[in-house]
Amino acid sequence: LAERMAAGVPAGVYGIEHMAAVTFTRKAASELRGRFHLALENQLREVDRIRDHVERALARQRLEGALGNLERFFAGTIHSFCARLLRERPVESGVSPGFTELDEVQDLELRKRTWRDFVTSTRSAGDPDMMALLDADVRPKDLDAAFATICLHEDVEFPAGDAECPDPKTARRALEKFWKELQKHLPSDIDPATTCKIQKAAWEFRRQLDVSKYRLDRRTAMASLLTTWDCESKIIQKWWADAPAEKKRLRDLIKALHEAFCADTVSLYLSQWRQYVYRLSVTLLTRAREYAARERRRLNALNYGDLLILTARVLRENSAVRQALQQKYRHLFVDEFQDTDPVQAEIVFLLAAAESADDVSASTSATGGADWRSVPLRHGALFVVGDPKQSIYRFRRGDNDIYNIVRGRLS
């Protein structure tokens, strides 16, 4: 990457003030800057080999100018690059130019604090969403990991759906009917060593029923009881009878009984129950994410996700800003592109897009902005380096599909 950038300077292809190199880590950015500096000096030492004296003079002038203005060359992470772009256009981006960048540790601490504050305030205020979630026996602590996930995907909308809570009374009648019939065929004493899933479920159900028999009209109690029967409709015959004929009879009878109960009651109730709990959880988590975003704005602080999303939004929706930044950053170099996520790809593609003053308005769609997957690219504006076999950051939204899309467009 450094050699390619340096080789383009004496030829007049690249101007130092119009170049930006994006790397995955600060350490890699520092190393790239040092290598680029050395490569420029090597180019300067080799400039006397150019035979044409005019070309030689121009090449020397360009190299000396680049070395003398090396501070104007940007090399850094995608997040530091986005912070730079936002500070150049704070009004259009809707940020204060003096914002603070939160690193991962600071963002984690703030996210945990805002989640605790949100939970405390909603519980003390008797918030309907929080009360409904607690009534479903879901503790806020159970959603800690889910809150981290939903905050990591700040640009993603999670549809909560409109599922209503299932009726436990209907399920109770079906459960009592099933249990009454099953008990007729169960052994009087279930062997503790049994490996039959139906018998294991029956043993567990008896224990649960002793605890929950006065709470069967509660939705959570019914969901717990039905979950016990959410198993395979297959018996192990040796635990049910000794005679071969009786074994086969019970096999067919229990299988049909359990399958019908699962299809008509267990699957339907649990599916609706899980969708209901999902709706409650996602609704509350989305509100908590918005609460955390408001807290960051109050503190005038942006995390890595904010930097990416705000930059992508202003480039997508503001054609004047997009064109101005395209003119400033005419040549983009991206390392480790296999670990690039969709928002990062959108940013570099919009900066490398081919637009003129005549088609600024046309490049913005009626649905909210330019689509990076279809914008034409300027010749030589984007150079990426990546190897899909080395993609190791999928947990941080690194996406091989994005790499393949980009490779297809550039090839």
Side-chain angles (χ1 to χ4, degrees), residues 36 42 44 121 133 152 156 246 284 317 324 367 379 389 399:
F36 180 51
N42 290 336
L44 186 59
S121 62
L133 196 69
L152 175 64
V156 177
E246 182 67 6
L284 198 73
E317 299 177 358
T367 57
H379 180 70
K389 295 178 182 178
D399 193 343

Side-chain angles (χ1 to χ4, degrees), residues 265-314:
T265 303
V266 176
S267 297
L268 294 178
Y269 188 95
L270 292 182
S271 176
Q272 187 175 350
W273 172 253
R274 287 160 183 160
Q275 291 177 47
Y276 170 70
V277 173
Y278 176 83
R279 175 174 69 80
L280 297 178
S281 302
V282 168
T283 299
L284 198 73
L285 288 168
T286 302
R287 288 178 53 199
R289 182 173 69 176
E290 294 168 353
Y291 177 85
R294 289 195 299 271
E295 181 64 10
R296 292 196 301 275
R297 286 196 294 272
R298 187 186 71 80
L299 298 172
N300 196 25
L302 301 179
N303 63 15
Y304 288 165
D306 295 329
L307 295 171
L308 294 171
I309 292 168
L310 292 173
T311 302
R313 182 183 302 161
V314 73

